[in-house]
Amino acid sequence: MGIWITVLATAFGCYALKLAGLVTPARVIDNAAARRFTELVPVALLTALVAVQTLGNGRALEIDGPRLAGLAAAAVALLLRAPFLVVLFVAAGVAAGLRLAGCG
């Protein structure tokens, strides 16, 4: 039963957030500080997610060679303006290849 309460609470929270975006007055949305905030928050959250997934293992910090090499390969692919799916496959391929070779 506890899982359903969590699912319903999350669904309600998502709906409330969507509704808040729809009823926000235009003067708030047109504010330069609000616009700057909404442009930077997704970048910060995605960067934090990448850092946690790359360097985290449960509650510990783990320096994992194949993960870091995959991240570096993804960065190079992004610099070369590769499509997003290609970036994902390059990163996964490098990490998997290094693990297969016994480097991790």
Side-chain angles (χ1 to χ4, degrees):
M1 185 65 181
I3 189 73
W4 286 109
I5 292 172
T6 305
V7 168
L8 290 174
T10 303
F12 175 76
C14 289
Y15 181 76
L17 188 61
K18 179 76 170 179
L19 184 63
L22 292 173
V23 299
T24 302
R27 63 180 170 79
V28 173
I29 295 172
D30 292 337
N31 186 348
R35 182 173 293 125
R36 182 83 172 138
F37 177 79
T38 57
E39 289 172 355
L40 293 178
V41 166
V43 174
L45 290 175
L46 184 58
T47 303
L49 177 64
V50 168
V52 166
Q53 292 298 313
T54 302
L55 301 172
N57 185 13
R59 297 185 71 127
L61 181 66
E62 179 179 300
I63 305 300
D64 184 16
R67 282 188 201 173
L68 291 174
L71 181 62
V76 169
L78 283 171
L79 288 173
L80 295 174
R81 303 250 184 229
F84 186 67
L85 281 178
V86 172
V87 172
L88 291 179
F89 283 121
V90 165
V94 167
L98 288 173
R99 288 197 193 283
L100 187 63
C103 296

